[in-house]
Amino acid sequence: MRKLLRTVFAVSKVFNVIAAIALTLMIAITVIDVFLRTIGHAVVGAYEVIGMICAPFVVGLAIPLSSWNKKHVAMDIVVSRLSSASRNTFYIVTRIVCILLFLLMGYNLLSVGSGFRTSGEVTQMLHIPFWWVTYCVAIACFVECIVFVCDIIRLSLEEK
Amino acid sequence: MNEVAIGITGIVVLLLLFATGIELGFAMAAVGFVGFSYLVSFNSAINLLGRDMWDVFSSYGFTVFPLFILMGQIGFNSGIAVRLYDSAHKFIGHVPGGLAIATVMGAAGFKAICGSGAATSATFASVAIPEMERYGYDKRLSTGVVASVGTLGTIIPPTVFLIVFGIITEQSIGKLFLAGIIPGLIVAFFFVLIIYTWAKIRPDLAPRSEKATWKERRATIPEVFWVGCIFMVVVGGIMMGFFTPSEAGGIGTFALIALSVAKRDLTFKRYVTSLNEGLGTACMLLMLIAGSTILGHFITRTNIPQLAADWIVGLPLNRYVIMLLICLVYELGGSIIDDLAFMVLATPIFYPAVLKLGFDPIWFGMVVAITVMIGIVIPPVAICVFVVQNITKVPIGTIYKGVCPFLLALVLVGILLFLFPSIALWLPSVAIK
């Protein structure tokens, strides 16, 4: 169990590193684009590289580690007043709801990506295919499901 | 069940789901998905889920969030707040309540680069409170002022709150930024006035510190100058149409990195910390927006926003009374769930009514911002108070007592906004034609 937790945490961290690189790249492209634009040579396709490629990586791949570190905003003033057993029950039920939700999201993102792939959709200016970006975000959704499973495992380990 | 009843049931289920402790963004997505499945079809709902997620994640407009959030994190981790506080301390530390006033001025300056209220409170809780304690300041005053200055993060640009509001209501972020400057400065001015009066009446609460020499004061000016420059580039650039808000975020972040590296304040480790913190917050925020987008499709299908607008407009009340009631809903909702999350949830429902009542959307943004500023320092969900309590370990009741006088300032600015809307609308009207 602990090995699974370590592995999932490591994978989430790797995803987060990719998201961090994408964010840094986003800043670099923006600065270069604005600078070159002032001298009349804007970077062609900067807008679409930032929007269609960097942005999904920044947000999508940061999801698993954000969940692992409990960064998402939640309302705990009600559950914090419940007994430990009730709180844990609610926690497990909500994790299951989240697993189902992200399974559906991941599955549908794969469908969206397949749609882009079969229709040969590319970015307007640079003609870069972006179906693979959708696949990456879908994979992040599946990793997120495993993070929720790990949440339940962590809870049971804490109880022991 | 008709569509409206389904919509209302969905909202009730959503609130119940919030109470289970589930992440708010995920709850909105789940309810939106189930509701849409019920109203339309499972296949349409599943398509909506993936498509909305992709649209939010790949939207160029939403890249503004990670960029501005990272800018704030770099400002937070590179110690700029400490030097801004130090500068204000050198100039006005010797007047009654000087250190508390320096906290307000330092925070207002820091806000020019950091969009987070909680980060502002956290920074000044670590920097200003020990200093005020050293001079024997009363804990109510020291912790109260630090918790209250966090509220400035909601209105003084660049602020994540106004960006979210601008995107939801499709208003110009540049105009919203400009509209926030004067009310934000008035709030800061009132904070200063309250501290000064409090310290004059009870000098034992805020003993004076020693007076700095002009040489010491002059030495701190470059720091303020550079932060001012970055602020002017970011807000001025958007205002003049040189760049989009997203580009402004990128340029501001880069300028701050360059400044911090030049001053040897930003190591690679600190940059990585900023990235990790920034990504976590940006991801949280965009999941909230993705969830509300999915929920929004379901709610729109039920026709609730339109019906709510017609009902609100038809109320036999003065439109300003209706606006006060809307503010009360924001206040109550924000007290139960997170203020930003409630704003994301409630604004699409109330916004059509606000337009029908003939209010200016930018002015409405400022009114909601002031309402939220009050919400983040009053129980039960008072994020800035919790941050200060967590860092200082001062009893929460003491901090609340300290916050009370500053609440007065926020209420007063709210009243002023109602009486004189031009406080918010004048600057955007002259700066952006």
Side-chain angles (χ1 to χ4, degrees):
Chain A
M1 283 298 178
R2 291 192 188 279
K3 197 176 174 187
L4 173 73
L5 292 182
R6 274 200 299 272
T7 310
V8 174
F9 181 59
V11 171
S12 306
K13 272 183 108 173
V14 170
F15 275 33
N16 209 61
V17 169
I18 300 170
I21 293 168
L23 182 53
T24 307
L25 205 62
M26 213 187 239
I27 299 167
I29 296 171
T30 304
V31 171
I32 293 167
D33 183 38
V34 170
F35 177 72
L36 291 181
R37 201 166 62 202
T38 56
I39 53 170
H41 297 280
V43 176
V44 177
Y47 182 89
E48 58 191 35
V49 170
I50 291 172
M52 301 299 283
I53 297 177
C54 293
F57 275 121
V58 168
V59 191
L61 300 197
I63 294 174
L65 194 66
S66 303
S67 286
W68 186 283
N69 292 332
K70 306 270 177 279
K71 288 277 183 184
H72 293 283
V73 57
M75 183 180 126
D76 58 359
I77 51 169
V78 180
V79 281
S80 62
R81 287 162 199 222
L82 299 175
S83 67
S84 164
S86 315
R87 206 166 45 232
N88 291 348
T89 310
F90 271 123
Y91 189 70
I92 291 168
V93 170
T94 58
R95 292 314 85 189
I96 293 168
V97 169
C98 291
I99 290 169
L100 292 174
L101 182 72
F102 274 86
L103 272 178
L104 288 170
M105 278 181 187
Y107 166 74
N108 197 254
L109 278 168
L110 284 181
S111 307
V112 172
S114 298
F116 291 151
R117 193 178 168 185
T118 49
S119 62
E121 222 163 309
V122 290
T123 60
Q124 273 185 338
M125 303 291 285
L126 299 173
H127 305 289
I128 304 170
F130 53 86
W131 54 266
W132 56 278
V133 183
T134 321
Y135 280 4
C136 290
V137 179
I139 292 166
C141 286
F142 295 133
V143 174
E144 174 78 344
C145 293
I146 306 170
V147 168
F148 291 131
V149 173
C150 290
D151 280 346
I152 299 171
I153 296 170
R154 280 155 81 188
L155 181 72
S156 66
L157 289 176
E158 276 169 24
E159 280 199 331
K160 281 176 191 170
Chain B
M1 258 204 295
N2 66 13
E3 288 178 340
V4 178
I6 294 165
I8 292 169
T9 310
I11 293 171
V12 172
V13 171
L14 180 67
L15 294 176
L16 290 174
L17 209 53
F18 281 170
T20 64
I22 191 172
E23 291 82 347
L24 305 185
F26 303 165
M28 287 192 227
V31 171
F33 168 72
V34 174
F36 203 84
S37 301
Y38 189 80
L39 278 179
V40 187
S41 72
F42 181 77
N43 282 341
S44 303
I46 205 169
N47 283 334
L48 182 83
L49 206 59
R51 182 54 76 169
D52 278 354
M53 279 273 286
W54 175 251
D55 286 348
V56 170
F57 288 3
S58 64
S59 158
Y60 178 81
F62 287 143
T63 59
V64 68
F65 294 118
L67 293 167
F68 269 114
I69 290 168
L70 179 62
M71 183 177 164
Q73 282 299 330
I74 289 169
F76 177 66
N77 286 316
S78 62
I80 285 174
V82 180
R83 287 192 303 278
L84 286 174
Y85 172 72
D86 186 51
S87 177
H89 180 178
K90 293 274 188 319
F91 275 89
I92 40 127
H94 60 284
V95 304
L99 294 181
I101 296 172
T103 305
V104 175
M105 294 174 76
F110 183 55
K111 248 316 293 136
I113 50 165
C114 176
S116 161
T120 307
S121 283
T123 310
F124 284 87
S126 322
V127 176
I129 292 179
E131 192 67 4
M132 286 191 262
E133 272 182 3
R134 196 160 71 85
Y135 282 94
Y137 270 56
D138 185 88
K139 279 199 164 46
R140 273 176 307 167
L141 174 59
S142 61
T143 55
V145 71
V146 170
S148 303
V149 293
T151 64
L152 294 172
T154 309
I155 202 163
I156 296 181
T159 138
V160 170
F161 180 87
L162 291 180
I163 297 172
V164 176
F165 182 87
I167 287 174
I168 293 174
T169 59
E170 295 177 351
Q171 291 301 311
S172 154
I173 291 169
K175 276 189 179 177
L176 283 164
F177 277 4
L178 286 172
I181 293 176
I182 295 178
L185 291 178
I186 295 176
V187 171
F189 174 71
F190 281 162
F191 281 179
V192 169
L193 210 62
I194 286 166
I195 296 165
Y196 188 79
T197 314
W198 201 355
K200 269 283 187 193
I201 297 168
R202 295 277 310 273
D204 57 308
L205 294 183
R208 292 173 190 228
S209 67
E210 62 267 14
K211 196 172 181 176
T213 62
W214 273 104
K215 193 182 170 192
E216 286 173 320
R217 288 175 184 175
R218 269 197 302 272
T220 66
I221 289 174
E223 191 64 42
V224 183
F225 172 77
W226 286 116
V227 170
C229 282
I230 293 173
F231 174 78
M232 289 307 291
V233 167
V234 169
V235 178
I238 298 174
M239 193 182 89
M240 307 293 284
F242 284 143
F243 30 72
T244 64
S246 294
E247 287 171 344
I251 296 289
T253 309
F254 177 76
L256 203 55
I257 292 171
L259 176 68
S260 306
V261 169
K263 287 182 168 289
R264 297 173 192 277
D265 287 330
L266 190 69
T267 57
F268 182 69
K269 199 178 166 189
R270 282 184 179 176
Y271 179 65
V272 170
T273 308
S274 305
L275 274 173
N276 285 335
E277 288 295 320
L279 280 172
T281 311
C283 180
M284 176 274 288
L285 192 59
L286 281 159
M287 274 312 300
L288 212 56
I289 291 174
S292 81
T293 307
I294 296 164
L295 182 74
H297 278 117
F298 159 57
I299 296 290
T300 306
R301 193 90 196 180
T302 64
N303 222 13
I304 283 180
Q306 207 48 47
L307 290 170
D310 291 341
W311 179 74
I312 291 168
V313 173
L315 286 172
L317 296 168
N318 180 287
R319 67 183 191 132
Y320 286 100
V321 177
I322 296 174
M323 180 53 79
L324 277 176
L325 291 174
I326 292 173
C327 291
L328 195 67
V329 173
Y330 270 92
E331 203 60 77
L332 290 174
S335 300
I336 299 165
I337 60 171
D338 178 79
D339 291 277
L340 187 67
F342 189 77
M343 193 268 280
V344 170
L345 184 69
T347 303
I349 295 173
F350 287 119
Y351 187 62
V354 169
L355 291 184
K356 277 194 171 183
L357 286 167
F359 289 110
D360 188 288
I362 302 286
W363 176 83
F364 177 58
M366 294 306 118
V367 170
V368 174
I370 292 285
T371 309
V372 166
M373 285 164 81
I374 296 171
I376 54 179
V377 283
I378 61 167
V381 184
I383 185 74
C384 291
V385 174
F386 296 162
V387 166
V388 174
Q389 196 271 335
N390 199 23
I391 293 171
T392 61
K393 309 297 174 205
V394 171
I396 211 143
T398 309
I399 308 175
Y400 277 133
K401 278 181 194 161
V403 161
C404 283
F406 299 104
L407 265 178
L408 198 71
L410 295 174
V411 173
L412 208 60
V413 174
I415 294 169
L416 284 176
L417 265 177
F418 269 82
L419 294 176
F420 310 105
S422 52
I423 289 173
L425 301 177
W426 175 75
L427 197 54
S429 70
V430 293
I432 302 176
K433 295 286 180 193

